[in-house]
Amino acid sequence: MRKNHLIDLCDLTREQWEEIVDLAVQISQNPSAYAEAGKGKILATLFYEPSTRTKMSFQTAMFRLGGNVIGFDNPQTSSVSKGESLADTLKIVSGYVDVIAMRHSIEGAVLAAAQAADCPVINAGDGGHLHPTQTLTDLVTLRIELGDLNHRVIGICGDLKNGRTVHSLINTLCHYQDIEFVLISTPELLLPARFKEVIHRSGCRYREVLSIEEAIAELDVLYMTRIQKERFTSLELYNQQKNVYVLDSAKLCLAKPELKILHPLPRVDEIEPSVDTDPRALYFKQARYGVFARMALILTLLSSQNKEAVLHGNTAGDTRCPNPNCITNLEEGTPLSVIREGDQSYCEYCDSPLKD
Ligand code: NCD
């Protein structure tokens, strides 16, 4: 783990994140045994972007561990509105609490925050980039409801370009054996090249298709996602993409009886409500498992002794990240950090490919 933060699950080894999943499953079987495990500890939830599930499941997780919670979900009511930098806010809050869960609309903002903090920082979503605690939730769901993850065909449908839950899920599932990803999206919302490269390097496979119907019969898991309206540059572009994918009972007739349907939620119209009563629909259970996943993560971070450095890359002189929504372009004192993989370089904060 980077120091003792959670920026992406892939900063951990598969064994390390599976220990957290194991603990989450144990907690789910006997939650009252953990009712005092976080006694005297404080979590801060710093949400610079809207959230229902993630924020409330973090809060519930900390309360169920016997701890306390402070935080904000409207930065306009905090000193951020007076112009306080991210680094200063994190320096201050991390002096008050034992662990911080943070969501921000800028890619790489949570990694930058972790560098300023004196306590563990958890990435609760950074722009369209990553969302590792949703992935932890997905892994707990799949462990309980599916079992072994190796040798599976995983369909991922919707906004693969902007969906941070998709990016974190792919980064993580690539560490299992013989996964075939079926990427279901329009040409406008394809998975970014960076994550295709991750699949390629892992030895797993992917193929891209345009419709749910052409893939659904072979899937073990179907991960539906919302078209991320807030990441589009115009309403017109969003309107062209919304409603393209709708999972309904007719399409499910083509699927395996043991298919697992996941969705990080919120849903807009990509899953018809009539699907909710299908035993293959797991998304409401998935949201409940998220509390156990976050309880396990908080406990792990509170007991972590790991002091590894936060950044792995090298600073890059005058080179700038090409992503205008990357923290390196938006927060002073956050220079680009370059990760080299083969003959390609990436921004460590937002994963954008860099030109040499
Ligand atoms: C997701 C997110 O915020 O990225 N929601 C969540 O945390 N469960 C998915 C989404 O907003 O579409």
Side-chain angles (χ1 to χ4, degrees):
M1 225 180 275
R2 290 179 205 255
K3 204 173 171 196
N4 50 344
H5 308 291
L6 180 69
I7 306 303
D8 189 16
L9 274 181
C10 294
D11 296 331
L12 283 66
T13 62
R14 179 172 149 188
E15 287 68 32
Q16 285 172 324
W17 77 61
E18 288 197 336
E19 270 175 33
I20 303 176
V21 173
D22 290 343
L23 178 58
V25 174
Q26 271 177 42
I27 296 172
S28 75
Q29 288 160 352
N30 189 8
S32 57
Y34 297 85
E36 303 214 328
K39 203 167 167 202
K41 302 291 182 189
I42 304 176
L43 163 77
T45 53
L46 307 186
F47 277 64
Y48 292 76
E49 222 192 18
S51 167
T52 308
R53 256 155 305 277
T54 305
K55 187 188 72 208
M56 286 172 56
S57 70
F58 265 114
Q59 295 174 336
T60 307
M62 197 55 178
F63 286 130
R64 292 219 181 275
L65 291 169
N68 285 296
V69 182
I70 62 165
F72 58 73
D73 51 15
N74 177 2
Q76 290 318 313
T77 61
S78 77
S79 281
V80 174
S81 65
K82 300 181 191 167
E84 184 169 66
S85 72
L86 195 58
D88 281 3
T89 304
L90 267 290
K91 199 88 200 141
I92 299 303
V93 177
S94 65
Y96 296 160
V97 303
D98 302 285
V99 55
I100 293 173
M102 177 178 154
R103 170 171 287 190
H104 206 288
S105 58
I106 296 173
E107 285 141 33
V110 186
L111 175 54
Q115 286 169 72
D118 295 320
C119 76
V121 176
I122 301 170
N123 183 0
D126 62 326
H129 182 216
L130 296 171
H131 192 347
T133 66
Q134 181 61 50
T135 301
L136 208 50
T137 299
D138 304 338
L139 290 177
V140 171
T141 307
L142 292 171
R143 165 75 69 78
I144 294 173
E145 301 288 337
L146 178 73
D148 187 9
L149 263 175
N150 298 305
H151 315 291
R152 300 290 187 180
V153 183
I154 315 258
I156 308 184
C157 175
D159 192 344
L160 311 190
K161 179 178 175 205
N162 302 300
R164 56 192 172 195
T165 62
V166 171
H167 305 157
S168 280
L169 185 67
I170 286 178
N171 274 351
T172 306
L173 290 184
C174 275
H175 288 76
Y176 293 83
Q177 274 164 35
D178 184 33
I179 300 284
E180 180 174 352
F181 294 99
V182 184
L183 306 175
I184 310 166
S185 80
T186 61
E188 290 77 12
L189 298 180
L190 292 173
L191 185 72
R194 166 69 167 138
F195 300 102
K196 290 182 188 167
E197 183 59 28
V198 169
I199 300 177
H200 178 69
R201 280 177 189 280
S202 72
C204 294
R205 286 159 290 141
Y206 72 87
R207 90 196 143 79
E208 296 178 303
V209 301
L210 287 171
S211 73
I212 296 177
E213 289 90 324
E214 65 193 283
I216 195 164
E218 60 185 299
L219 302 180
D220 298 306
V221 176
L222 175 55
Y223 197 92
M224 294 295 296
T225 65
R226 173 179 72 88
I227 307 301
Q228 307 279 298
K229 184 178 182 182
E230 65 277 29
R231 312 275 176 230
F232 281 73
T233 48
S234 80
L235 195 57
E236 195 191 339
L237 289 175
Y238 167 70
N239 285 336
Q240 287 164 13
Q241 298 295 323
K242 70 171 193 189
N243 300 334
V244 174
Y245 297 111
V246 180
L247 183 64
D248 56 21
S249 305
K251 292 187 189 94
L252 272 178
C253 288
L254 306 169
K256 291 181 186 173
E258 61 278 10
L259 173 71
K260 310 295 174 201
I261 307 165
L262 272 64
H263 190 311
L265 303 177
R267 119 179 95 180
V268 182
D269 44 22
E270 58 280 356
I271 302 183
E272 278 205 346
S274 62
V275 172
D276 298 355
T277 50
D278 189 302
R280 293 170 286 189
L282 299 180
Y283 29 91
F284 293 119
K285 268 188 176 173
Q286 183 186 357
R288 280 203 299 277
Y289 291 141
V291 174
F292 303 122
R294 291 179 174 103
M295 287 170 81
L297 174 64
I298 291 169
L299 284 181
T300 304
L301 288 175
L302 287 176
S303 62
S304 169
Q305 295 301 315
N306 192 339
K307 296 287 178 220
E308 208 182 294
V310 178
L311 288 179
H312 302 314
N314 299 311
T315 40
D318 289 341
T319 317
R320 290 178 70 86
C321 178
N323 173 4
N325 196 39
C326 174
I327 190 74
T328 59
N329 290 318
L330 296 164
E331 170 108 345
E332 234 175 276
T334 312
L336 179 63
S337 173
V338 180
I339 295 280
R340 186 108 198 144
E341 275 177 17
D343 52 7
Q344 179 63 59
S345 301
Y346 297 94
C347 168
E348 182 167 4
Y349 287 89
C350 73
D351 277 308
S352 294
L354 304 171
K355 289 203 178 70
D356 281 323

